């Protein structure tokens, strides 16, 4: 468990945070500029001191103003990656990777460099690297210092589209394979959707919401605060096979229901998390034919909730194969169809917004072969 209970006053701005974060996985800090994301990250790193509070990781106290304890940044064993790579220009890539290691471990260097796709760059100097390559080296250096916690402060900022997507794919793979908590700061919803497990929403120094990404994205009262996020569901599915002729990948949910996506660069058997926006889901009372919509899931309605600030729209919560799916439909349509909790319906998925590799979820034990 990672405990954060801190207050920091900077002029007219006050950060007050009281959080308990998971000791594994990725927690995203999200909020508008000036919400306190970087301030909180600097407190965790030990670059600044809180005016009041306590920070502890798995019982190891990094800071406690009540007992005057403050572990300096170089003794906290935290991996920190800033917006700029900040590599040592006079060291090779290998030299940069090994800089924070107590004893050089060739096997560890090989594993991390392979995971990040930089094993062919080890003899290169930093001034010969692209922006994305330099960021990957910085992340590798942080990981090879054997950190208790990895802090990523907008590591994709300033990269162009192709390099940003490339590094995002490496990050998505990386966070599945490391057994330490990660705090990821970003202003880009798509970055967070690609890597985050949990989301902390900050505004004006206060925590507005905190929880599993899937749960926070389901809260309609937060729509106006999430700035760029849509009400969505993140479904776990496993790649069943690739249909080369139709250029589609077939995915299977835990109850055996299938989804089709444009061909994905994954191996059959690999698990994914796919984002389905609520506005991309329609509802029918019976199976339909003669439509261009390829994906239909049998689901059970668990709730129908009109939106407070949009009475003309209703959020329909659905259970599809032990997973929550959401649909935003007009209140008039909801009433015309007579939708109510307990009804079995067909969820028509117009589009899947994002697919990302994922570890097998707990519900995989109940998967239909």
């Amino acid at each position: 468990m990672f405990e954060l209970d801190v207050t920091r006053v900077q002029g007219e701005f006050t950060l007050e945070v009281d959080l308990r974060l998971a000791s594994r996985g990725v927690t995203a800090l999200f909020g508008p500029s000036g919400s306190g994301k970087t301030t909180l990250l600097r407190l965790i790193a030990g670059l600044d001191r809180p005016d009041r509070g306590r920070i502890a990781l798995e019982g190891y106290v990094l800071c406690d103003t009540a007992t005057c304890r403050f572990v300096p940044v170089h003794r906290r064993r935290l991996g920190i990656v800033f917006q700029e790579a900040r590599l040592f220009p006079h060291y090779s890539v290998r030299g940069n990777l090994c800089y924070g290691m107590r004893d050089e471990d060739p096997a560890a260097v090989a594993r991390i460099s392979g995971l990040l796709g930089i094993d062919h760059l080890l003899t290169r100097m930093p001034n010969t690297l692209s922006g994305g390559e330099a960021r990957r080296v910085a992340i590798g250096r942080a990981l090879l210092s054997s950190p208790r916690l990895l802090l990523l402060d907008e590591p994709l900022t300033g990269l162009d589209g192709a390099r940003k997507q490339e590094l995002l794919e490496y990050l998505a793979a990386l966070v599945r394979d490391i057994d330490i908590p990660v705090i990821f700061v970003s202003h880009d919803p798509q970055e967070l959707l690609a890597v985050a497990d949990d989301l902390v929403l900050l505004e004006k120094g206060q925590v507005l919401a905190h929880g599993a990404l899937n749960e926070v994205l389901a809260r309609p009262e937060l729509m106006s605060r999430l700035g760029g996020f849509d009400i969505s569901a993140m479904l776990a599915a496993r790649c069943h096979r690739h249909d080369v002729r139709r250029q589609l990948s077939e995915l299977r949910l835990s109850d055996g229901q299938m989804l089709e996506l444009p061909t994905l660069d994954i191996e059959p058997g690999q698990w994914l998390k796919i984002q389905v926006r609520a506005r991309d889901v329609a509802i029918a009372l019976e199976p339909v034919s003669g439509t261009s919509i390829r994906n239909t899931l049998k689901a059970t309605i668990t709730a129908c909730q009109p939106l407070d600030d949009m009475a003309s729209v209703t959020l329909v919560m659905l259970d599809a194969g032990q997973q929550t799916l959401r649909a935003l439909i007009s209140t008039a349509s909801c009433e015309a169809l007579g939708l109510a909790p307990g009804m079995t319906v067909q969820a028509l998925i117009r589009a899947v917004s994002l697919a990302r590799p994922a570890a097998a979820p707990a519900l995989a034990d109940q998967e239909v072969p």
Side-chain angles (χ1 to χ4, degrees):
M1 182 69 69
F2 184 33
E3 305 169 55
L4 284 170
D5 182 6
V6 292
T7 300
R8 168 82 173 179
V9 179
Q10 294 177 291
E12 296 182 356
F13 175 80
T14 299
L15 176 75
E16 290 184 294
V17 169
D18 188 358
L19 291 168
R20 303 296 179 271
L21 306 179
S23 56
R24 194 179 189 281
V26 181
T27 298
L29 302 183
F30 183 78
S33 178
S35 60
K37 304 184 298 294
T38 298
T39 299
L40 181 56
L41 206 70
R42 289 180 63 87
L43 293 176
I44 296 170
L47 297 171
D48 293 323
R49 296 177 182 243
D51 296 298
R52 179 214 60 81
R54 183 175 187 271
I55 302 173
L57 177 59
E58 294 292 331
Y60 179 74
V61 178
L62 300 174
C63 175
D64 190 346
T65 56
T67 60
C68 298
R69 177 175 174 80
F70 182 82
V71 178
V73 61
H74 64 280
R75 291 182 51 209
R76 293 196 175 197
R77 281 186 54 202
L78 306 181
I80 307 172
V81 179
F82 298 97
Q83 294 180 24
E84 307 84 23
R86 301 189 183 184
L87 302 180
F88 298 112
H90 54 293
Y91 287 163
S92 66
V93 166
R94 180 185 291 277
N96 271 278
L97 290 173
C98 297
Y99 182 81
M101 302 177 71
R102 292 174 181 167
D103 299 299
E104 186 170 340
D105 183 345
V109 172
R111 183 177 72 85
I112 294 298
S113 61
L115 186 61
L116 288 166
I118 54 176
D119 41 356
H120 64 293
L121 303 175
L122 294 178
T123 60
R124 298 260 295 272
M125 300 301 288
N127 64 352
T128 69
L129 304 178
S130 69
E133 290 169 342
R135 303 281 176 90
R136 279 186 271 155
V137 174
I139 293 168
R141 181 176 62 186
L143 289 172
L144 286 166
S145 66
S146 302
R148 297 186 176 96
L149 173 73
L150 182 61
L151 304 175
L152 301 176
D153 185 12
E154 304 211 33
L156 306 180
T157 296
L159 298 181
D160 62 29
R163 289 185 175 87
K164 181 175 181 178
Q165 183 59 37
E166 178 186 50
L167 183 52
L168 191 57
E169 291 172 1
Y170 279 113
L171 281 175
L174 174 71
V175 297
R176 297 196 317 272
D177 294 331
I178 59 176
D179 195 26
I180 59 173
V182 179
I183 307 295
F184 189 98
V185 174
S186 176
H187 64 279
D188 186 330
Q190 288 305 114
E191 292 178 13
L192 302 187
L193 285 169
V195 300
D197 301 300
D198 297 303
L199 182 67
V200 176
L201 178 60
L202 292 170
E203 185 175 283
K204 297 179 180 178
Q206 306 292 315
V207 176
L208 290 186
H210 167 231
L213 178 68
N214 202 22
E215 295 172 2
V216 175
L217 296 185
R219 294 173 56 179
E221 75 275 14
L222 296 176
M223 281 187 68
S224 62
R225 309 291 185 87
L226 285 170
F229 282 105
D230 287 314
I231 294 179
S232 302
M234 299 293 288
L235 299 181
R238 188 154 70 175
C239 180
H240 177 58
R241 73 183 187 97
H242 300 296
D243 188 325
V244 177
R245 182 183 65 81
R246 295 189 299 152
Q247 297 185 30
L248 294 171
S249 295
E250 296 179 359
L251 308 182
R252 177 175 288 179
L253 302 184
S254 60
D255 64 348
Q257 295 196 80
M258 303 292 290
L259 295 170
E260 292 180 341
L261 276 70
T263 301
L264 299 169
D265 185 18
I266 57 172
E267 296 294 328
Q270 184 174 344
W271 280 93
L272 300 172
K273 279 189 179 179
I274 57 175
Q275 180 200 6
V276 180
R277 287 192 285 245
R279 60 184 171 87
D280 288 332
V281 180
I283 294 177
L285 298 181
E286 302 291 342
V288 297
S289 60
T291 174
S292 62
I293 297 176
R294 299 289 306 171
N295 290 313
T296 301
L297 296 178
K298 184 178 180 180
T300 301
I301 296 176
T302 58
C304 297
Q305 180 181 355
L307 299 188
D308 293 338
D309 56 347
M310 297 171 61
S312 63
V313 178
T314 292
L315 178 64
V316 181
M317 308 290 285
L318 302 156
D319 183 331
Q322 306 174 57
Q323 301 188 72
T324 299
L325 190 64
R326 303 173 177 93
L328 270 179
I329 64 173
S330 70
T331 300
S333 294
C334 185
E335 293 172 352
L337 293 172
L339 301 184
M343 291 179 61
T344 298
V345 297
Q346 303 295 316
L348 284 64
I349 301 175
R350 301 185 187 96
V352 172
S353 304
L354 172 146
R356 84 185 213 207
L363 55 78
D365 295 337
Q366 303 177 30
E367 182 191 8
V368 175

